[in-house]
């Protein structure tokens, strides 16, 4: 029998210093805490129907600049870029434009890569390669 996936439960990003990470995710990116668990070592941010979690739960979950990365959709890409530059957030890639979107890859204080993304409107969108 096939496994039926019904949705995305959460994306978890490992961090070393929870205070520093929360300052980035809450003050720089502007995310609001949905839940705080494990004595503050697991923080969840509600993003529409999805959840982004940051966790500092030991040496087995380490931050990395390789592998899986979350992509955060923004309503105004130019404003987002200005905010990231003003806050001196390191850019790993971009900003860049594709036929279907605009995006930049930033890094959090632990070096984890996060995409800041804006899908183009149907009028300006072209097929992605």
């Amino acid at each position: 029998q096939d496994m039926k996936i019904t949705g995305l439960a959460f994306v978890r990003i490992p961090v070393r210093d929870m205070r520093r990470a929360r300052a980035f995710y809450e003050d720089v990116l502007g995310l609001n805490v949905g839940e705080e668990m494990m004595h503050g070592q697991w923080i969840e941010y509600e993003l529409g129907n999805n959840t982004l979690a940051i966790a500092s739960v030991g040496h087995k979950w380490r931050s990395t600049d390789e592998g899986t990365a979350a992509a955060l959709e923004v309503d105004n890409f130019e404003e987002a870029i200005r905010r990231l530059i003003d806050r001196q957030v390191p850019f790993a890639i971009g900003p860049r434009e594709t036929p279907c979107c605009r995006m930049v890859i930033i890094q959090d204080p632990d070096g984890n890569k996060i995409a800041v993304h804006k899908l183009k409107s149907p009028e300006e969108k072209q097929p992605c390669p």
Side-chain angles (χ1 to χ4, degrees):
Q1 191 165 48
D2 290 340
M3 176 173 63
K4 184 177 179 186
I5 306 293
T6 60
L8 178 67
F10 62 86
V11 172
R12 189 249 336 136
I13 297 175
V15 298
R16 291 186 300 266
D17 181 327
M18 189 55 80
R19 180 176 290 149
R20 180 180 70 179
R22 288 189 68 174
F24 177 78
Y25 286 92
E26 295 166 30
D27 301 338
V28 175
L29 297 184
L31 301 182
N32 295 313
V33 175
E35 289 204 47
E36 186 172 327
M37 295 173 258
M38 298 176 63
H39 307 289
Q41 295 306 299
W42 184 286
I43 305 294
E44 292 188 349
Y45 303 101
E46 301 305 320
L47 302 170
N49 294 327
N50 295 305
T51 299
L52 178 70
I54 59 172
S56 180
V57 292
H59 69 278
K60 290 187 178 182
W61 281 2
R62 296 183 186 191
S63 55
T64 180
D65 66 351
E66 300 175 7
T68 304
L72 306 176
E73 188 73 10
V74 295
D75 61 349
N76 186 313
F77 187 73
E78 289 74 23
E79 275 183 23
I81 294 300
R82 279 195 297 275
R83 180 180 176 91
L84 295 169
I85 291 170
D86 288 348
R87 302 291 178 104
Q88 299 178 335
V89 174
F91 286 24
I93 299 172
R96 66 176 4 158
E97 186 165 337
T98 74
C100 57
C101 70
R102 293 177 184 87
M103 64 184 280
V104 63
I105 309 279
I106 61 172
Q107 288 185 280
D108 77 0
D110 287 288
N112 296 299
K113 288 182 179 166
I114 300 161
V116 175
H117 182 268
K118 176 64 177 164
L119 198 59
K120 289 183 176 179
S121 70
E123 299 80 46
E124 48 179 0
K125 190 175 178 181
Q126 299 170 3
C128 285

